[in-house]
Amino acid sequence: GAGVSQTPSNKVTEKGKYVELRCDPISGHTALYWYRQSLGQGPEFLIYFQGTGAADDSGLPNDRFFAVRPEGSVSTLKIQRTERGDSAVYLCASSPHSSSGGSYNEQFFGPGTRLTVL
Amino acid sequence: AQTVTQSQPEMSVQEAETVTLSCTYDTSESDYYLFWYKQPPSRQMILVIRQEAYKQQNATENRFSVNFQKAAKSFSLKISDSQLGDAAMYFCAYRRYSGGGADGLTFGKGTHLIIQP
């Protein structure tokens, strides 16, 4: 079946512009995650959705970053007034969700969107 | 907050040999998961192996095995019979054992593994 897809694959923008990055999770996966991977670093957690709601947005660096998932499937990460420091690969992952306590749910990652802010 | 440390920025191994990648972590939790992910140049993170902290037995997946030392907070990955296709960035990751089973991962900085033919 289809995996997690992300569009665009690459995005170049100018400092101060607004950008949207899209994530299509695996069909039926209720949990969705966004991570940011800066050059030479491991991915850094940004936000986690369970269904339509953001269950944990503690990783968002500031109020220029915002994410939505209005119908509980596709998610969009929005960055306002982009800065050069926002340049990174933005990874999306999805997982099935079980209501049983402490159960393991593998996160399946997409190929990421490389954002370059000039 | 949890932290994950990978002290080897790069490792090199001859094809068919064995290599071990190191990872240490810090947490105050007693129950958690640990993972090794592989990231080839395509950028897609691929799960290699996982370990539940409550399990004493070390996880194995074909040529991949871990040495989990809970008291030392150490979690190393051993790759046996290295193949050219194993060349990639390898990330160690931690996830707490939450009731909902769905928390974000904390990653280390990664180790670049080179396979010499």
Side-chain angles (χ1 to χ4, degrees):
Chain A
V4 177
S5 63
Q6 293 186 244
T7 54
S9 176
N10 292 281
K11 175 71 176 178
V12 180
T13 190
E14 293 179 345
K15 181 176 177 294
K17 299 290 188 182
Y18 168 83
V19 297
E20 291 189 351
L21 311 179
R22 176 187 168 108
C23 173
D24 280 87
I26 292 172
S27 178
H29 281 191
T30 58
L32 185 146
Y33 306 79
W34 284 99
Y35 295 86
R36 177 171 69 175
Q37 186 174 18
S38 301
L39 189 64
Q41 304 292 317
E44 172 191 21
F45 169 75
L46 296 178
I47 186 170
Y48 148 57
F49 286 90
Q50 180 55 45
T52 60
D56 181 358
D57 64 358
S58 61
L60 293 178
N62 51 59
D63 61 6
R64 295 186 298 104
F65 288 75
F66 190 71
V68 295
R69 196 185 184 199
E71 297 178 357
S73 179
V74 171
S75 176
T76 305
L77 179 65
K78 308 181 181 194
I79 310 174
Q80 298 177 317
R81 305 183 305 280
T82 52
E83 300 177 356
R84 293 195 179 89
D86 299 334
S87 296
V89 173
Y90 289 82
L91 296 168
C92 176
S94 71
S95 75
H97 179 71
S98 169
S99 59
S100 58
S103 63
Y104 168 72
N105 288 297
E106 179 178 346
Q107 293 185 23
F108 295 84
F109 283 81
T113 293
R114 181 180 299 280
L115 175 66
T116 302
V117 182
L118 301 177
Chain B
Q2 297 81 19
T3 58
V4 176
T5 303
Q6 293 179 251
S7 58
Q8 304 156 317
E10 186 172 280
M11 292 284 285
S12 181
V13 64
Q14 290 289 129
E15 193 176 2
E17 296 295 308
T18 295
V19 63
T20 298
L21 308 184
S22 301
C23 172
T24 59
Y25 59 94
D26 189 26
T27 182
S28 58
E29 306 277 343
S30 59
D31 292 323
Y32 45 88
Y33 296 104
L34 294 166
F35 307 87
W36 279 98
Y37 278 87
K38 171 184 178 181
Q39 187 178 42
S42 67
R43 300 197 304 242
Q44 191 139 11
M45 301 286 279
I46 302 164
L47 179 64
V48 174
I49 198 166
R50 79 168 192 272
Q51 174 81 41
E52 289 89 341
Y54 65 85
K55 290 186 177 178
Q56 293 186 334
Q57 187 173 8
N58 288 324
T60 62
E61 287 287 342
N62 300 313
R63 298 183 294 108
F64 299 87
S65 62
V66 298
N67 183 4
F68 172 49
Q69 301 289 328
K70 190 172 184 179
K73 295 181 181 174
S74 170
F75 182 62
S76 61
L77 174 69
K78 186 171 82 171
I79 306 174
S80 303
D81 186 25
S82 298
Q83 300 176 0
L84 293 177
D86 295 334
M89 286 293 295
Y90 285 80
F91 292 94
C92 180
Y94 167 102
R95 204 200 83 197
R96 68 175 187 169
Y97 192 80
S98 69
D103 275 348
L105 297 164
T106 300
F107 287 89
K109 288 189 174 184
T111 295
H112 181 209
L113 179 63
I114 298 167
I115 310 295
Q116 308 264 12

